[in-house]
């Protein structure tokens, strides 16, 4: 958990005390920012996505977990390092998508959490093919 410490005496009232930000907060911010990038189909590897979709179908289980699937953060007092596993859409330039994800995630975390992002590591674990989406929907109906 990361903390910001204000001035001990005589500082502005808004800077007195500590603000702690849990790692999961940064994971959610990074996950949402990565999903906002055009060309990102999903976060997490194939196995994690299938287990997550099964968990989400169970009542009361997995609430909020899909947002942080494929996201890991290391948070220090004023800095953060972020690891993302993404699936991209077929036909996009992977390096362009990765660059846009880095920019969006860095901006979101620095703006909302006040942590300097020192690195955003991206692992592209799969490519979503147009035919795969249709097959997945068909399999779901059969079950």
């Amino acid at each position: 958990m990361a903390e910001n410490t204000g001035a001990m005496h005589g500082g502005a009232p808004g800077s007195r005390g500590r603000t702690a930000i849990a790692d999961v907060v940064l994971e959610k911010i990074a996950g949402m920012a990565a999903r906002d990038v055009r060309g990102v189909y999903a976060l997490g590897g194939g196995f994690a996505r299938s287990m997550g979709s099964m968990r989400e179908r169970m009542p009361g289980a997995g609430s909020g977990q899909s947002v942080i699937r494929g996201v890991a953060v290391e948070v220090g007092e004023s800095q953060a390092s972020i690891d993302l596993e993404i699936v991209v859409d077929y036909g996009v330039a992977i390096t362009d998508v990765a660059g846009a994800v880095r920019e969006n995630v860095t901006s979101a975390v620095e703006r909302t959490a006040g942590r300097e992002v020192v690195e955003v590591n991206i692992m592209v674990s799969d490519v979503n093919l147009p035919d795969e989406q249709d097959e997945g929907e068909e399999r779901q109906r059969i079950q």
Side-chain angles (χ1 to χ4, degrees):
M1 193 170 331
E3 296 181 5
N4 278 346
T5 306
M8 293 299 273
H9 300 288
S15 67
R16 296 179 192 167
R18 296 180 180 187
T19 302
I21 301 173
D23 294 359
V24 71
V25 173
L26 295 182
E27 288 173 346
K28 288 182 178 183
I29 293 168
M32 292 301 293
R35 281 181 172 78
D36 285 344
V37 174
R38 186 173 178 270
V40 173
Y41 176 74
L43 268 64
F47 180 74
R49 286 194 332 266
S50 20
M51 291 305 292
S53 66
M54 287 179 13
R55 191 177 327 119
E56 288 169 2
R57 288 185 214 149
M58 298 169 62
S63 178
Q65 290 299 310
S66 65
V67 175
I68 60 173
R69 187 180 316 126
V71 182
V73 299
E74 288 183 36
V75 184
E77 217 172 286
S78 62
Q79 297 179 326
S81 174
I82 301 165
D83 295 326
L84 299 167
E85 185 175 355
I86 66 173
V87 178
V88 297
D89 288 320
Y90 174 76
V92 300
I94 293 173
T95 54
D96 292 347
V97 171
V101 167
R102 280 189 185 92
E103 287 179 26
N104 211 36
V105 167
T106 299
S107 174
V109 170
E110 288 181 349
R111 182 182 67 250
T112 58
R115 298 293 181 269
E116 176 191 5
V117 176
V118 293
E119 65 182 2
V120 178
N121 300 309
I122 299 172
M123 167 62 168
V124 179
S125 62
D126 202 356
V127 174
N128 178 55
L129 302 174
D131 295 345
E132 287 179 337
Q133 193 171 12
D134 296 336
E135 289 174 11
E137 290 172 6
E138 188 175 316
R139 275 190 232 129
Q140 209 168 24
R141 282 185 292 196
I142 293 171
Q143 294 175 357

